[in-house]
Amino acid sequence: MNWVITIMILALLIPIYEAWQDNSIWQKMLAFASIATKTSIMILVVSVLRDDWMIGVVGVLILSVGNAALMLLAHVLRRINDL
Amino acid sequence: MIDTLSYTLISIGLVFWFWGTWPLLGDRSVLFKLHSLSVSDTLGSMSIVVGLLLKIPREWPLLVLALISLAIWNTVLGYVLAYCSTRGGEDA
């Protein structure tokens, strides 16, 4: 199962690079949304790998609350752009 | 048999991840990237979670919760990001 984690880290590097090199705020938001999903799925894989239920709970929390926070942040950014 | 199936699902999910994330590097519009990202990232993640579910059926409540929140949140977030970025954003 270790190869899965390695490939996932490689996939995670793409949005991290994008968030680092692009200055447009919406492109950054997109990259952040991708990073949030990918890391939470990685946490779930690690929790199954280690057979640890509690790590998995953290992954599911990030999946639901993290996306909600990104949605609120997008609305705040839009309001700021309107001002 | 089930082990092979779960590894196949996880591999398909990883392929979808790369397929959806690769356009992020290009110079296309936000909406193009958002579409490819939300479709193939969600499908890939769901396939990975189903693969994990086949591996350890004992943790099904947690993994089904992950599947539901992926299916709902990623679609909603796609709509919200598209809506917010096209109105008032500087690069519509």
Side-chain angles (χ1 to χ4, degrees):
Chain A
M1 283 296 273
N2 275 333
W3 59 273
V4 176
I5 294 291
T6 315
I7 297 176
M8 281 177 157
I9 290 173
L10 284 181
L12 188 62
L13 285 178
I14 301 174
I16 287 178
Y17 172 74
E18 166 70 16
W20 167 66
Q21 60 106 32
D22 208 310
N23 280 325
S24 158
I25 187 68
W26 292 110
Q27 307 263 10
K28 269 191 208 274
M29 282 289 288
L30 216 55
F32 284 149
S34 172
I35 292 173
T37 310
K38 283 183 173 42
T39 41
S40 50
I41 297 294
M42 279 172 75
I43 292 172
L44 280 178
V45 172
V46 170
S47 87
V48 171
L49 207 70
R50 299 175 56 100
D51 203 5
D52 193 337
W53 174 267
M54 283 191 250
I55 299 177
V57 172
V58 177
V60 174
L61 273 180
I62 292 177
L63 212 53
S64 53
V65 183
N67 279 340
L70 273 174
M71 196 177 82
L72 292 177
L73 187 60
H75 275 286
V76 170
L77 283 174
R78 176 167 170 257
R79 286 295 181 89
I80 288 177
N81 280 334
D82 278 346
L83 285 179
Chain B
M1 176 63 195
I2 288 197
D3 222 31
T4 318
L5 192 61
S6 86
Y7 276 127
T8 312
L9 279 172
I10 291 176
S11 309
I12 291 174
L14 289 175
V15 169
F16 267 108
W17 267 21
F18 276 102
W19 189 14
T21 320
W22 197 250
L24 269 184
L25 294 177
D27 248 349
R28 302 295 292 268
S29 70
V30 174
L31 289 182
F32 176 84
K33 293 180 180 177
L34 182 66
H35 179 69
S36 69
L37 194 66
S38 62
V39 171
S40 82
D41 229 21
T42 309
L43 285 181
S45 305
M46 287 173 86
S47 143
I48 291 175
V49 174
V50 172
L52 294 180
L53 193 59
L54 289 178
K55 246 187 166 4
I56 300 196
R58 193 166 33 82
E59 287 196 24
W60 71 267
L62 190 72
L63 293 176
V64 167
L65 195 62
L67 272 179
I68 292 173
S69 78
L70 263 177
I72 294 176
W73 264 123
N74 277 24
T75 45
V76 171
L77 189 65
Y79 275 116
V80 169
L81 277 181
Y83 171 74
C84 290
S85 65
T86 48
R87 293 253 210 105
E90 69 274 23
D91 58 336

